[in-house]
Amino acid sequence: MTTGFSSGSSRFADYFVICGLDTESGLEPDELSGENFEQSPLRRTFKSKVLAHYPDNVEWNPFDQDAVGMLCMPKGLSFRTQVDSREPQFHSFIITREDGSRTYGFALTFFEEVTSKQICSAMQTLYHMHNAEQYDILHTPTSPRGPEDPRLAPCRPVLHAAPAISRLQRFNSYDISRDTLYVSKCICLITPMAFAQACRKVLGQLHQAVTSPQPPPLPLESYIYNLLYEVPLPPSGRSLKFSGVYGPIVCQRPSTSELPLFDFAISEMFNLLGVENVLQLFTCTLLELQILLYSQHYQRLMSVAESITALMFPFQWQHVYVPILPASLLHFLDAPVPYLMGLHSNGQDDRTKLDLPQEANLCFVDIDNHFIELPEELPQFPNKLEFIQEISEVLMSFGVSPEGNIHSSENQARYHFRSVDMVSDNRNGNLSSPLTSYLLRENETIARLQALVKRTGVSLEKLEVREDASCNKDPRAQCDEEELKMHQLNIQVREVFANRFTQMFADYEVFVIQPSHDKESWFTNRDQMQNFDKASFLSDQPEPYLPFLSRFLETQMFASFIDSKILCHDDEEKEHTLRVFDSRVDKIRMLNVRTPTLRTSMYQKCTNIEEAEKAIEMRVAKIDHTALHPHLLDMKIGQGRYEQGFFPRLQSDVLSTGPTSNKWAKRSAPAQWRRRDRQKQHAEHLYLDNDQREKYIQEARNLGTTIRQPKLSNLSPSVIAQTNWKFVEGLLKECRNKTKRMLVEKMGREAVELGHGEVSITGVEENTLIASLCDLLERIWSHGLQVKQGKSALWSHLLHYQDSKEKNATPGGLGPPGFIHDTERRKSDGGGSAMPPLRISLIQDMRHIQNIGEIKTDVGKARAWVRLSMEKKLLSRHLKQLLSDHELTKKLYKRYAFLRCDDEKEQFLYHLLSFNAVDYFCFTNVFTTIMIPYHVVIVSSKKLSGSMFTANPWVCVSGELSETGVLQVPRNTLEITFECQNLGKLTTVQMGHDNSGLYAKWLVECVVVRNEITGHTYKFPCGRWLGKGVDDGSLERILVGELMTPTTENDERMCRTPPMQQSPGMMRRFVTISPSSKPKLNTGQIQEGVGEAINGIVKHFHKPEKERGSLTLLLCGEYGLVWALEQVFQHGFKSPRLFKNVFIWDFLEKAQVYFESAEQREATPDENWQTRVRHFCRFMRAINSTSRNIGKDGKFQMLVCLGARDHLLHHWIALLADCPITSQMYEESALIKDRSLVNSLIRVLQTLQEFNITLEASLVKGVGI
């Protein structure tokens, strides 16, 4: 993707370069390219040199000798003999400068005969040495093979009966007297813009000129001079024709309202990988994972890298981008940052031989084998199936198979647009041969597509494959039809991809947060600023998009995109990509006035393909500009002589400087071209003229990254150390930003929600942030790694630690191994006496993860362990302990690794420590199906009855995910440990006893339940009696719990946010035990209490489903709805005698008796009233006839919950306020007798009508309504 651009250039090419064998310095083995010396000399690589480049230097693009040399011939020189194939190979490459701008290179590598006698004899000598070594190896006693071994007789004639041996032998041999030696040479163009097709043709024609029997019409210098100095870049939206050695060459450049320039054949990527794989790779690239492309062909690496980044429009890859990684830079693969790199394979090694330092978030693309290896937990791209269908239709209309077809890209010299079988037949435009339709029907993606197609109503049968342009070829079309077809396919596929983003982000501008400060101060605080309202944007998106979008919004490319939006207010200032994108978004808005709140996942196909194609066809049909023709240069006699088969050393005196007056400027392009052109170059690519803004954008880009591309220069240890130091600083900065972002998310929401149920950011968003933290940890742990087992560097380190600790553990010691060193415990406040705290143990936490059968991979285990440690607030501490084993760290890591930089490591652990300030449930909420041990302790009152208690207690624990059923608790210990499937966050405990024995009265203070893996401890306060004849006669109660805060004894305590849930306190529980101590609330306070309780429920339902806390808590918890209505009914309640308690339930039962008798006497005011009475009596009867012994307060609680569920509470309040029983049992001042107060209470309760309240099973067990 042409994102960067050398600003000063207005010429088509900046340099012409020749690389190859320097006969002066002879054969130097290329140690850097990592070749081994067991290989025969012809298979080894030797150092290549830049032999010449013209001109010496241009100011806007200084010549980088090291980079060009490395990338023109990334593997160095290779030798062949006359029996080997010597096809010329074309490849392109890219050089990224410090400022992010790019220069392109296009190289043609071919073989020339070696004329130097010294080189030939050096090669012969190497062979003698090699053969002698082989001979020694073969004649060691271990291998008693005789001299018949074919490898030992390189010069013996061989019978053709054994072709394999003969080929192998001839392949690996060189005999100076018999063989001709050839060596690779490379000619290369360095250009400011990537006109790949034109450059390929130019180089092909130059090569043809030296290999053809007739010399070219003019000396080669004339053509190269013309190219360097007389061919301009085509201006935006125009086409340009110039002359090659044998034929005209056309290139065209899109206008500023079209997609940016892209001149590689996208079909090649689809042929190599297939649509399905391309889409997966696309998703990985958008999420900024580490991407490693792997192929034997340099051009394939470049083609896939450029194509995939071009499809990302309007976003741009912000990180390390090295489509061709020279062998000498392999250490760069342990860069702990997102990267997109291409690695050359030698064709022998398979994937398993590759020792990659980090694989946890690696997308590995084996291009030659049509295979892609994805990281775990990769979300799906939105509307994936429909998207694949749309792309496939485009590809098939050009005869490209959606499945991919690796052979059609074998032919590197020409672009084949059809799978091989189709080529022969399509000349007549006859493409639906029985073979192809059979192929199409047989392959499985097509079958899937057809299923989808049936649903969408498109028919594949009618899908037309384009007629070959030859039948109706426009006679004026100046570029050949293959190329036109390539441009058409490119633009169609790119438009389809671009359309996905314009649809997905159609209303993105609404969510951009414009800075309130001026640019300078915005810039200095850029790290802290949120530039996009992610939460609101996500809440508008269809559910299936969320996993992908929530991760995409966290990427650097998205942040940079929004930054450039903020920095460019008017159209003139906007970057090219942003301007094009915004104009498309505006168009979509006009076409379908979509209300931003509408969450639609309707798939809308691309509509502007036709006009995009038309623009290209117009430019090709009518060439706008023609460059000056090559002409004879002012050369001395005898210069420019030419020898067939050899690319000559060119005359530097004529090529080093351009024309003094710009002839072509007069002829075909007015001078304002160049001025306009320069202005547009910043529009089309990076801005490189407005310094102030450039600084902003550049720095905004570099926020997350420090290095775009490794320096392709001398790789001294100091350079490598400096690079690694940059990585260490970058990792630390990233860690600081991530922890801060995660805390702000959590704290921000907690602050808003204090006292309203529970706190959590959306599951999706929290998962995204935690997944990105896990990725960061993996990257840190794989930096500078030397010993690794499995794919996860972090888990590998943990396993090594576990091994070493378990070896050192003394077998006879107490407790399981691994506990010896870390026996520190946490004490819990509150239940401290009830339960000995869990031991803090890194190894034990690892064992918990290892025991979970559902997690199969190392990466999964590492992530689970991080989640568990976060939930237990031990992440920083565990990692500190892991890294305190210095011997182990030294053994596993190189000196420059992040984990061996002490200061940075300390700061990193300190950043992680801040996570202890908030509650995460990232383990409990994700592993919902695993078995978890729970420990329950019932704390009964010490003062009363505990020891004499004779009945058998039981409990039933409920959580957000499920409940346990009834568990018997031993009477003597009152504690029990059991294992069951993850209950999620715990909400209620039902407890009771069977009323057996002589003394079945029991005063329970609380129940404490602990999750034995995460250590979360919940306290369920009770403070009431259970037993017949005491309190309200209840044998069972439902308790609502709160999470207790663990405190560690050391000074790692950090400030905590207030506890997540306030539990039902003691105040309400003792209200009815001694009426004299009732807290007297006045009517105002009671109304406020009801308002707050209702408010909590309303807020609960206004949150997205994933964010809602526990509804049970809002109904039955402290200051919940039940409590509030209890206050209403207790206000002004007449209490008969000091020692006899009267409960609200008693009043309700009397009212029920009255209503039932009134019903029988049929003294009925109206129909409505009757219905309400019937409902009320039915509920009362059902609750009274339940088999559960829940006592009078328990029954009242159940009535309120059922009334809320069925939206009947406000009717019942109205009934009771009018009931004569009320006047008998309440004083005159009671709230329930005050007309206006009752009316306002009814109005408040009516707000619950719009909500669909679902009650937890434990609240309504045993009531069949």
Side-chain angles (χ1 to χ4, degrees):
M1 178 87 204
T2 331
T3 50
F5 185 96
S6 4
S7 102
S9 176
S10 53
R11 313 208 277 228
F12 179 81
D14 288 339
Y15 294 100
F16 180 77
V17 187
I18 305 172
C19 297
L21 167 65
D22 183 0
T23 45
E24 323 284 87
S25 60
L27 285 184
E28 290 179 73
D30 191 357
E31 298 90 6
L32 282 176
S33 62
E35 292 295 331
N36 48 2
F37 281 100
E38 287 92 76
Q39 288 195 317
S40 69
L42 276 181
R43 293 284 147 270
R44 294 180 200 165
T45 55
F46 300 89
K47 277 189 184 157
S48 65
K49 294 263 170 66
V50 173
L51 302 176
H53 65 276
Y54 313 100
D56 278 342
N57 207 24
V58 294
E59 76 238 56
W60 57 83
N61 181 7
F63 188 73
D64 184 341
Q65 180 125 352
D66 293 317
V68 172
M70 264 184 200
L71 291 167
C72 276
M73 304 185 92
K75 271 274 195 232
L77 295 172
S78 42
F79 286 89
R80 298 272 191 278
T81 63
Q82 75 283 0
V83 295
D84 303 311
S85 87
R86 300 189 302 283
E87 279 297 299
Q89 291 289 327
F90 172 81
H91 78 271
S92 39
F93 57 85
I94 192 168
I95 299 173
T96 310
R97 296 206 203 73
E98 298 280 311
D99 63 1
S101 62
R102 293 173 176 182
T103 305
Y104 289 84
F106 299 94
L108 185 72
T109 308
F110 51 91
F111 286 89
E112 274 185 359
E113 191 179 324
V114 178
T115 48
S116 154
K117 291 279 179 289
Q118 287 98 325
I119 301 286
C120 291
S121 51
M123 183 56 81
Q124 182 77 72
T125 313
L126 284 173
Y127 258 102
H128 290 320
M129 287 159 61
H130 176 69
N131 291 344
E133 278 164 35
Q134 293 294 319
Y135 191 84
D136 292 347
I137 293 171
L138 291 174
H139 284 75
T140 46
T142 50
S143 144
R145 277 191 292 174
E148 292 78 48
D149 186 278
R151 272 178 305 180
L152 293 184
C155 308
R156 231 188 311 172
V158 171
L159 297 173
H160 289 290
I165 292 178
S166 95
R167 234 178 55 241
L168 178 94
Q169 181 190 352
R170 295 289 308 271
F171 196 57
N172 280 340
S173 69
Y174 171 64
D175 178 349
I176 198 165
S177 60
R178 185 197 66 206
D179 292 321
T180 317
L181 189 63
Y182 293 87
V183 66
S184 54
K185 188 175 219 172
C186 171
I187 51 176
C188 167
L189 284 175
I190 303 291
T191 66
M193 295 179 86
F195 289 107
Q197 305 309 317
C199 292
R200 168 177 267 190
K201 285 182 183 163
V202 168
L203 294 171
Q205 295 189 17
L206 284 170
H207 177 246
Q208 194 186 336
V210 294
T211 49
S212 67
Q214 271 74 43
L218 292 169
L220 289 183
E221 282 85 349
S222 293
Y223 299 105
I224 290 165
Y225 181 89
N226 177 252
L227 199 66
L228 289 175
Y229 300 112
E230 296 174 329
V231 177
L233 279 174
S236 292
R238 302 294 178 83
S239 50
L240 168 79
K241 181 159 84 172
F242 61 95
S243 308
V245 183
Y246 295 112
I249 293 167
V250 173
C251 59
Q252 45 141 350
R253 181 168 161 189
S255 73
T256 46
S257 61
E258 295 172 64
L259 293 178
L261 172 67
F262 179 74
D263 200 39
F264 294 84
I266 274 187
S267 59
E268 186 172 1
M269 174 173 73
F270 285 101
N271 271 323
L272 290 166
L273 296 174
V275 179
E276 183 97 26
N277 283 340
V278 167
L279 204 53
Q280 299 284 36
L281 169 60
F282 184 62
T283 309
C284 293
T285 317
L286 288 170
L287 298 180
E288 296 186 335
L289 300 171
Q290 291 172 320
I291 291 159
L292 187 60
L293 309 174
Y294 190 59
S295 169
Q296 295 181 57
H297 305 274
Y298 293 117
Q299 185 55 19
R300 286 183 181 180
L301 295 172
M302 182 72 178
S303 178
V304 172
E306 284 288 287
S307 301
I308 208 78
T309 48
L311 293 177
M312 286 168 20
F313 172 90
F315 304 102
Q316 292 171 2
W317 179 258
Q318 298 291 325
H319 301 273
V320 174
Y321 181 71
V322 193
I324 295 176
L325 186 67
S328 51
L329 286 181
L330 286 183
H331 66 276
F332 226 78
L333 286 172
D334 80 351
V337 290
Y339 57 66
L340 201 166
M341 300 205 228
L343 184 61
H344 183 261
S345 83
N346 56 12
Q348 275 100 46
D349 296 351
D350 59 351
R351 161 81 177 90
T352 48
K353 299 252 174 54
L354 271 184
D355 187 23
L356 301 171
Q358 42 194 347
E359 299 169 273
N361 22 347
L362 180 72
C363 168
F364 179 83
V365 186
D366 185 345
I367 297 176
D368 303 338
N369 294 318
H370 200 85
F371 162 74
I372 180 167
E373 191 178 298
L374 297 167
E376 293 175 27
E377 298 172 19
L378 185 71
Q380 279 230 343
F381 192 78
N383 295 107
K384 182 176 163 189
L385 279 176
E386 293 96 324
F387 191 23
I388 286 182
Q389 158 76 11
E390 190 179 1
I391 303 164
S392 303
E393 284 175 11
V394 170
L395 292 174
M396 286 160 66
S397 71
F398 283 89
V400 177
S401 156
E403 286 287 87
N405 180 348
I406 199 142
H407 306 294
S408 63
S409 25
E410 290 289 64
N411 180 350
Q412 292 280 315
R414 281 182 68 236
Y415 281 104
H416 271 222
F417 263 76
R418 304 189 159 61
S419 50
V420 172
D421 323 72
M422 295 181 184
V423 173
S424 53
D425 202 32
N426 64 7
R427 284 280 164 257
N428 352 347
N430 164 15
L431 244 176
S432 48
S433 66
L435 173 65
T436 50
S437 55
Y438 166 75
L439 277 173
L440 294 182
R441 225 170 302 127
E442 279 306 293
N443 81 39
E444 106 195 70
T445 302
I446 302 280
R448 282 212 300 280
L449 284 174
Q450 280 179 328
L452 184 106
V453 171
K454 283 212 183 78
R455 292 207 304 279
T456 51
V458 182
S459 149
L460 277 190
E461 297 299 319
K462 298 198 199 84
L463 191 69
E464 306 214 341
V465 175
R466 309 199 145 209
E467 297 260 312
D468 219 322
S470 53
C471 352
N472 49 3
K473 187 176 175 187
D474 181 339
R476 292 168 308 165
Q478 301 279 332
C479 83
D480 64 30
E481 61 197 74
E482 283 289 307
E483 199 176 316
L484 178 60
K485 211 162 261 176
M486 180 207 88
H487 286 307
Q488 288 170 333
L489 173 60
N490 276 7
I491 200 68
Q492 291 204 18
V493 171
R494 291 174 67 204
E495 288 289 356
V496 169
F497 273 80
N499 177 53
R500 289 294 2 97
F501 289 121
T502 41
Q503 299 286 353
M504 242 184 285
F505 292 100
D507 28 26
Y508 85 102
E509 291 183 50
V510 185
F511 302 97
V512 174
I513 302 170
Q514 289 294 346
S516 42
H517 328 285
D518 58 297
K519 295 262 171 81
E520 272 304 330
S521 56
W522 175 79
F523 209 79
T524 41
N525 304 310
R526 176 65 197 85
D527 282 7
Q528 283 84 43
M529 312 287 287
Q530 282 291 353
N531 63 3
F532 192 73
D533 183 355
K534 294 173 185 167
S536 309
F537 177 78
L538 288 173
S539 67
D540 272 2
Q541 299 306 312
E543 187 77 15
Y545 290 15
L546 294 179
F548 170 80
L549 279 178
S550 62
R551 281 180 64 175
F552 180 64
L553 297 189
E554 296 299 321
T555 57
Q556 188 64 38
M557 70 177 77
F558 185 74
S560 300
F561 174 73
I562 299 296
D563 281 348
S564 63
K565 176 77 181 164
I566 289 174
L567 288 169
C568 310
H569 287 302
D570 53 8
D571 255 10
E572 276 306 291
E573 285 185 341
K574 280 184 190 170
E575 273 198 54
H576 173 221
T577 42
L578 187 62
R579 199 165 53 233
V580 175
F581 185 69
D582 279 356
S583 68
R584 288 167 177 233
V585 162
D586 295 341
K587 204 182 281 176
I588 281 193
R589 283 224 204 84
M590 277 158 56
L591 284 174
N592 46 349
V593 188
R594 175 178 145 209
T595 45
T597 49
L598 186 70
R599 303 172 57 150
T600 167
S601 54
M602 273 291 295
Y603 187 83
Q604 286 164 317
K605 291 177 77 166
C606 184
T607 50
N608 51 345
I609 287 182
E610 301 232 323
E611 64 185 271
E613 263 193 296
K614 210 162 268 145
I616 290 177
E617 286 159 13
M618 294 276 298
R619 281 197 291 272
V620 174
K622 178 179 167 297
I623 299 296
D624 298 302
H625 301 283
T626 306
L628 198 63
H629 286 292
H631 48 87
L632 271 172
L633 297 172
D634 191 8
M635 289 175 33
K636 298 190 186 76
I637 294 178
Q639 282 189 344
R641 263 196 320 213
Y642 146 94
E643 190 182 341
Q644 187 193 343
F646 293 93
F647 200 89
R649 274 280 170 106
L650 301 170
Q651 301 305 317
S652 54
D653 53 350
V654 288
L655 290 178
S656 56
T657 51
T660 42
S661 71
N662 259 328
K663 298 188 197 118
W664 51 259
K666 296 191 192 89
R667 200 181 278 195
S668 57
Q672 72 251 26
W673 249 37
R674 295 186 299 291
R675 270 203 310 280
R676 256 214 329 272
D677 221 40
R678 254 174 232 162
Q679 288 158 8
K680 279 187 182 154
Q681 274 160 14
H682 89 246
E684 226 172 291
H685 307 283
L686 286 185
Y687 308 147
L688 287 165
D689 45 288
N690 181 337
D691 300 336
Q692 192 62 19
R693 190 163 70 239
E694 170 56 17
K695 188 187 86 183
Y696 290 147
I697 296 239
Q698 215 34 61
E699 287 191 23
R701 289 234 162 92
N702 292 338
L703 275 176
T705 59
T706 40
I707 294 186
R708 282 290 189 75
Q709 180 175 356
K711 284 287 287 173
L712 302 177
S713 58
N714 60 334
L715 291 164
S716 58
S718 64
V719 171
I720 293 181
Q722 195 183 346
T723 306
N724 278 298
W725 184 242
K726 271 191 176 167
F727 283 145
V728 169
E729 287 179 328
L731 284 172
L732 191 60
K733 185 171 178 182
E734 193 179 345
C735 178
R736 186 175 65 237
N737 291 343
K738 274 216 164 70
T739 46
K740 191 163 186 178
R741 164 106 169 81
M742 288 170 76
L743 284 175
V744 166
E745 273 293 348
K746 268 295 210 194
M747 299 284 220
R749 309 232 174 167
E750 282 195 20
V752 174
E753 316 221 341
L754 283 190
H756 300 300
E758 64 118 312
V759 178
S760 101
I761 59 181
T762 61
V764 175
E765 228 167 320
E766 175 164 309
N767 271 337
T768 302
L769 293 173
I770 286 174
S772 76
L773 175 74
C774 292
D775 290 350
L776 174 65
L777 292 176
E778 284 292 358
R779 295 209 309 267
I780 288 177
W781 255 257
S782 52
H783 183 232
L785 182 65
Q786 34 193 22
V787 183
K788 181 177 98 174
Q789 52 194 73
K791 282 198 171 182
S792 161
L794 174 58
W795 190 248
S796 164
H797 193 169
L798 286 165
L799 290 173
H800 282 292
Y801 178 80
Q802 190 180 19
D803 288 350
S804 69
K805 286 290 170 271
E806 288 180 351
K807 279 194 195 101
N808 302 343
T810 45
L814 298 169
F819 283 2
I820 288 101
H821 306 285
D822 49 16
T823 49
E824 186 194 328
R825 295 169 176 277
R826 280 191 171 174
K827 64 172 194 288
S828 293
D829 45 6
S833 53
M835 216 180 263
L838 270 183
R839 194 173 256 163
I840 293 180
S841 158
L842 165 59
I843 305 273
Q844 190 53 42
D845 284 350
M846 281 185 70
R847 288 226 188 92
H848 286 314
I849 302 298
Q850 285 159 331
N851 292 338
I852 298 176
E854 286 90 331
I855 306 176
K856 305 278 189 276
T857 62
D858 287 353
V859 175
K861 287 175 180 159
R863 288 186 174 177
W865 181 84
V866 170
R867 285 172 178 279
L868 178 59
S869 307
M870 291 270 291
E871 190 160 322
K872 294 178 88 160
K873 306 195 177 187
L874 291 172
L875 183 61
S876 174
R877 187 180 177 141
H878 277 348
L879 293 177
K880 187 176 186 175
Q881 189 182 329
L882 176 66
L883 296 171
S884 63
D885 187 338
H886 296 299
E887 285 310 303
L888 180 61
T889 314
K890 270 190 188 144
K891 188 179 98 182
L892 299 180
Y893 288 90
K894 297 175 186 148
R895 180 65 202 94
Y896 64 74
F898 182 94
L899 296 177
R900 288 184 64 187
C901 303
D902 292 339
D903 290 355
E904 280 65 28
K905 186 175 74 186
E906 285 306 308
Q907 288 185 53
F908 157 71
L909 292 169
Y910 179 73
H911 287 312
L912 293 184
L913 193 58
S914 57
F915 287 139
N916 295 8
V918 288
D919 295 320
Y920 279 100
F921 288 89
C922 49
F923 180 82
T924 306
N925 290 344
V926 168
F927 299 102
T928 51
T929 56
I930 60 174
M931 299 300 285
I932 290 187
Y934 291 92
H935 186 65
V936 180
V937 177
I938 300 173
V939 184
S940 57
S941 167
K942 298 283 178 293
K943 306 182 206 75
L944 303 152
S945 81
S947 50
M948 296 146 59
F949 179 55
T950 57
N952 299 303
W954 56 268
V955 294
C956 168
V957 184
S958 303
E960 289 183 354
L961 297 174
S962 63
E963 66 169 33
T964 58
V966 170
L967 303 160
Q968 297 302 327
V969 182
R971 187 170 65 226
N972 46 2
T973 59
L974 291 184
E975 59 182 287
I976 167 184
T977 302
F978 61 91
E979 193 177 53
C980 71
Q981 193 173 332
N982 186 353
L983 298 170
K985 291 178 204 164
L986 302 188
T987 50
T988 59
V989 163
Q990 300 154 66
M991 60 163 309
H993 60 75
D994 62 357
N995 202 29
S996 60
L998 296 169
Y999 191 84
K1001 295 183 177 67
W1002 189 27
L1003 178 58
V1004 176
E1005 266 186 33
C1006 65
V1007 178
V1008 181
V1009 184
R1010 181 173 68 204
N1011 177 324
E1012 295 291 274
I1013 291 184
T1014 64
H1016 279 318
T1017 308
Y1018 294 83
K1019 185 175 178 181
F1020 297 85
C1022 176
R1024 310 269 311 246
W1025 284 90
L1026 284 92
K1028 291 283 188 213
V1030 286
D1031 200 340
D1032 64 349
S1034 174
L1035 293 185
E1036 60 175 273
R1037 294 197 183 282
I1038 300 169
L1039 311 177
V1040 183
E1042 81 166 312
L1043 180 68
M1044 288 158 56
T1045 314
T1047 54
T1048 38
E1049 308 197 19
N1050 61 0
D1051 53 9
E1052 278 196 9
R1053 279 184 74 168
M1054 299 210 34
C1055 61
R1056 250 196 57 72
T1057 45
M1060 262 189 33
Q1061 310 165 338
Q1062 283 129 6
S1063 81
M1066 294 299 139
M1067 178 169 104
R1068 153 184 174 208
R1069 302 304 184 186
F1070 287 117
V1071 159
T1072 43
I1073 291 181
S1074 47
S1076 54
S1077 69
K1078 268 186 198 170
K1080 289 274 184 276
L1081 294 181
N1082 62 34
T1083 51
Q1085 288 169 317
I1086 293 173
Q1087 275 184 294
E1088 197 178 321
V1090 175
E1092 283 297 308
I1094 298 283
N1095 221 349
I1097 296 173
V1098 172
K1099 277 187 183 166
H1100 169 90
F1101 282 103
H1102 276 291
K1103 285 186 211 163
E1105 213 159 312
K1106 292 206 169 80
E1107 286 182 53
R1108 295 175 185 174
S1110 159
L1111 185 58
T1112 307
L1113 197 77
L1114 298 173
L1115 292 170
C1116 312
E1118 183 169 43
Y1119 307 131
L1121 183 62
V1122 174
W1123 171 85
L1125 291 178
E1126 216 164 74
Q1127 304 309 309
V1128 168
F1129 283 110
Q1130 277 174 351
H1131 187 261
F1133 201 36
K1134 290 180 182 166
S1135 175
R1137 290 195 308 283
L1138 202 53
F1139 295 113
K1140 179 177 182 308
N1141 282 332
V1142 180
F1143 292 90
I1144 298 170
W1145 192 251
D1146 298 330
F1147 157 65
L1148 295 174
E1149 280 181 323
K1150 285 186 178 168
Q1152 179 198 352
V1153 170
Y1154 164 76
F1155 287 135
E1156 284 175 338
S1157 59
E1159 231 182 341
Q1160 277 145 18
R1161 288 201 307 272
E1162 298 197 336
T1164 51
D1166 64 43
E1167 189 62 33
N1168 259 348
W1169 186 84
Q1170 268 187 339
T1171 318
R1172 288 172 192 184
V1173 164
R1174 273 204 298 281
H1175 276 312
F1176 176 70
C1177 296
R1178 194 175 104 229
F1179 277 88
M1180 291 291 293
R1181 282 196 299 274
I1183 291 172
N1184 266 328
S1185 61
T1186 173
S1187 55
R1188 294 171 70 184
N1189 296 297
I1190 49 176
K1192 292 176 176 175
D1193 279 356
K1195 288 175 179 175
F1196 176 72
Q1197 173 169 304
M1198 197 179 267
L1199 183 71
V1200 172
C1201 290
L1202 288 167
R1205 182 191 74 184
D1206 294 351
H1207 307 138
L1208 297 170
L1209 286 177
H1210 55 284
H1211 293 323
W1212 294 348
I1213 297 279
L1215 278 184
L1216 293 166
D1218 292 341
C1219 175
I1221 306 290
T1222 310
S1223 48
Q1224 296 168 24
M1225 297 186 68
Y1226 281 88
E1227 293 157 5
E1228 279 311 307
S1229 60
L1231 187 152
I1232 193 95
K1233 284 186 169 182
D1234 183 320
R1235 260 270 157 263
S1236 64
L1237 288 180
V1238 169
N1239 284 340
S1240 73
L1241 176 64
I1242 288 173
R1243 275 199 304 279
V1244 171
L1245 285 171
Q1246 274 172 332
T1247 54
L1248 291 183
Q1249 276 187 271
E1250 55 185 284
F1251 304 118
N1252 181 9
I1253 293 177
T1254 313
L1255 299 177
E1256 205 174 302
S1258 58
L1259 298 179
V1260 290
K1261 224 182 236 165
V1263 177
I1265 294 189

